[in-house]
Amino acid sequence: MPLALVLLLLVALALPLLAWSLAGRRFWADLRGPAGRDLRAEVVARHRLAPADADVVQQAVTRGRPAPAPLRPAAADWAGSTLATVDEQHARHAGRDRAAAVVLALAGLCVLAGVVLALVLDAGPVSFLLLLLAAGAVGNVALLPLLVRRNLRRAVAANSRG
């Protein structure tokens, strides 16, 4: 049983490192697209935004909220361009889904093992650490991308209206 506990802890400790390694890959984190586009610079130039206005628009897009009335076209454009780029990257790099599925499966096993350790073996801090690390991996791999897409869709909808 101690060997299984050590193996579970090693897997739980490796999950954040694996997630960090995957997130650091160029194909995962690069949202510039194939031509090396800078969406912020494009939107700022296209809508002639001042630096302060660009920050306001970026904050509205990131949070999925409406921007102030004169900045709404820029926010809708920025959110729509970002969403299109995210979808393009998703289609171009199908390996990300497989890597995310592996990390998610390992995290799910760690959550299950942590619950078993907590309830059956009363492992205390060990099970808490296992659950905390696995929940962090689940949050970053599964929930964060969903939240980003949801906020981009909300920003498009909120800023496209009159």
Side-chain angles (χ1 to χ4, degrees):
M1 191 54 145
L3 179 62
L5 188 61
V6 168
L7 287 174
L8 282 173
L9 279 175
L10 286 175
V11 168
L13 290 172
L15 278 174
L17 293 174
L18 180 62
W20 175 75
S21 173
L22 288 174
R25 302 280 183 223
R26 183 181 178 94
F27 73 83
W28 192 283
D30 186 20
L31 287 178
R32 290 175 298 187
R37 296 172 51 199
D38 183 1
L39 291 176
R40 180 184 173 100
E42 288 178 17
V43 172
V44 166
R46 197 166 32 244
H47 295 277
R48 295 184 180 128
L49 297 174
D53 290 340
D55 290 340
V56 169
V57 170
Q58 183 175 13
Q59 187 175 29
V61 167
T62 304
R63 294 182 179 175
R65 297 188 179 146
L71 301 175
R72 284 190 181 156
D77 182 22
W78 195 336
S81 298
T82 304
L83 193 55
T85 303
V86 167
D87 290 340
E88 176 189 329
Q89 289 287 330
H90 183 73
R92 218 169 8 131
H93 300 290
R96 282 192 284 198
D97 291 336
R98 288 188 295 276
V102 168
V103 171
L104 199 56
L106 287 173
L109 286 173
C110 285
V111 167
L112 182 64
V115 168
V116 167
L117 285 173
L119 296 177
V120 176
L121 301 178
D122 195 28
V126 172
S127 62
F128 178 72
L129 176 67
L130 193 62
L131 285 170
L132 184 66
L133 291 171
V138 168
N140 282 311
V141 172
L143 301 178
L144 189 60
L146 294 175
L147 179 68
V148 167
R149 282 178 186 262
R150 184 200 69 179
N151 284 350
L152 288 172
R153 283 190 206 103
R154 281 184 176 178
V156 169
N159 291 295
S160 294
R161 291 180 252 161

